[in-house]
Amino acid sequence: MTPGTRKPSSLPFAGDRFHARTVRVKAPGKVNVSLSVGPLRPDGYHSVASVYLAVSLYEEVAATSTEAPGITVSISPDSTLDLDGVDIPLDERNLAYKAAAIMAEMSEKPTGVHLDITKRVPVAGGMGGGSADAAATLLACDALWNSGLSREELAHLAAELGADVPFSLLGGTAVGLGVGDKLSPALAKAQMDWVLVFADYGLSTPDVFRTLDGLRDSEGMDIPEPMAVDPTILQALRNGDPETLSRVLINDLQRASITLAPQLRDTIGLGEARGALAGMVSGSGPTIALLARDSVSASVLAEELTHRGHTALAVHGPVPGARIISDTLL
């Protein structure tokens, strides 16, 4: 996009006086309803074929303009996660920080910005929480600085930040190919109900992929490049048919995640024994996604697992992607 196509930026000044403004955005976490992983490529990545489902567990980012230049990041005390012992970088390593830096480059007259992140999606939990933060930040800074970028243009910037960021911006249901960045929206609006079971630890996505490669090498497996997703999955999502969907859930990373954290197998087994139609590791884990028959079944299952000492939450999907929930002059 050329500079001439951007809307003029309006800064929060009245005369010489600075007026801060806060734009608050929420963006959803995701479940990989299916995830097929190809062999390790020469560039160090893996091709995938996946169906992403945005679910009703949201990150929030409040982007506040600051008179001082630069980007600062904090974690809100309203976060629902237990973050004791969790290392969340608050500098340029943070994905939301990187998103703000990209938007500052794309905006004609950016101010300084402070990002206050409310964490609800598990950290290193296989649900794209950091990606949701980045997607929310892109949209918040676009509004804060009147950058005038379209959703499509923001999605191109999102792809520079990671494979899951464009989807959190888009939301709904989508098929992801390539390294997950080639997204095609899927016409699947029927509600599916899930119970998420959170672990009190994280799994490194690169470690999970390396473990999968090691398992495949030891077995001498010849893995083809994934070119498409199972159409039965998309049909079940379109029809709102959890019974059929339960029979075709797939996650190639699951056995690697269970190799690193064997207790995940027990959690899946418990969920299925207590009424889930099927259970699987979400993405690279360790969050477990249990498919329920309906919202009532999901609520009952979440309560049962909570009584048994697990941290469980009933959610549904698909839900919309990142969206502004407030825009306030301070």
Side-chain angles (χ1 to χ4, degrees):
M1 185 182 68
T2 61
T5 64
R6 299 182 191 137
K7 295 179 182 178
S9 187
S10 64
L11 297 177
F13 288 93
D16 293 330
R17 186 180 176 190
F18 178 86
H19 292 272
R21 175 183 168 202
T22 296
V23 178
R24 183 177 290 272
V25 174
K26 71 176 185 178
K30 56 84 181 171
V31 169
N32 291 84
V33 178
S34 76
L35 179 56
S36 298
V37 179
L40 180 64
R41 304 188 322 196
D43 62 4
Y45 291 94
H46 297 75
S47 296
V48 302
S50 184
V51 177
Y52 298 102
L53 182 73
V55 296
S56 56
L57 182 62
Y58 301 93
E59 298 278 274
E60 286 186 18
V61 174
T64 301
S65 54
T66 61
E67 196 165 6
I71 302 165
T72 55
V73 181
S74 63
I75 303 300
S76 170
D78 293 334
S79 299
T80 57
L81 296 182
D82 180 3
L83 297 174
D84 288 344
V86 178
D87 180 24
I88 300 178
L90 302 179
D91 54 19
E92 61 275 3
R93 296 171 294 165
N94 186 286
L95 209 53
Y97 184 109
K98 294 178 181 179
I102 285 179
M103 284 306 304
E105 292 178 0
M106 294 297 297
S107 304
E108 289 183 349
K109 295 180 180 179
T111 63
V113 65
H114 178 70
L115 307 173
D116 190 48
I117 303 173
T118 303
K119 298 293 297 177
R120 299 189 182 97
V121 178
V123 177
M127 291 189 63
S131 297
D133 296 337
T137 299
L138 289 173
L139 187 59
C141 288
D142 175 67
L144 191 68
W145 298 328
N146 293 323
S147 304
L149 300 184
S150 67
R151 259 317 154 119
E152 183 179 1
E153 289 165 332
L154 288 174
H156 283 301
L157 297 179
E160 297 178 23
L161 294 164
D164 289 341
V165 183
F167 176 69
S168 191
L169 192 67
L170 174 70
T173 308
V175 173
L177 300 175
V179 294
D181 58 330
K182 297 177 182 177
L183 291 177
S184 301
L187 297 176
K189 297 181 180 180
Q191 178 172 311
M192 288 288 183
D193 296 284
W194 303 78
V195 172
L196 304 176
V197 187
F198 307 127
D200 57 3
Y201 56 89
L203 285 177
S204 161
T205 298
D207 286 349
V208 174
F209 273 95
R210 279 192 291 269
T211 300
L212 177 63
D213 292 335
L215 290 169
R216 288 173 166 177
D217 288 345
S218 67
E219 297 165 355
M221 297 181 66
D222 185 16
I223 306 297
E225 290 284 341
M227 304 302 293
V229 301
D230 184 347
T232 305
I233 293 173
L234 297 176
Q235 188 66 43
L237 289 169
R238 279 194 294 271
N239 294 341
D241 182 357
E243 292 277 1
T244 297
L245 184 63
S246 70
R247 295 191 289 270
V248 290
L249 296 177
I250 181 173
N251 180 2
D252 284 351
L253 292 178
Q254 178 164 303
R255 65 187 189 122
S257 300
I258 290 176
T259 298
L260 294 170
Q263 62 270 35
L264 295 178
R265 181 183 287 109
D266 296 332
T267 304
I268 294 172
L270 175 62
E272 292 177 342
R274 304 310 302 175
L277 296 176
M280 66 190 303
V281 173
S282 177
S284 57
T287 302
I288 298 298
L290 301 168
L291 178 61
R293 192 177 308 277
D294 50 40
S295 60
V296 173
S297 300
S299 296
V300 170
L301 177 57
E303 185 176 355
E304 170 75 14
L305 293 175
T306 298
H307 284 322
R308 290 174 174 266
H310 293 274
T311 302
L313 178 70
V315 300
H316 64 272
V319 298
R323 64 185 187 271
I324 296 172
I325 54 178
S326 67
D327 187 341
T328 309
L329 276 174
L330 304 180

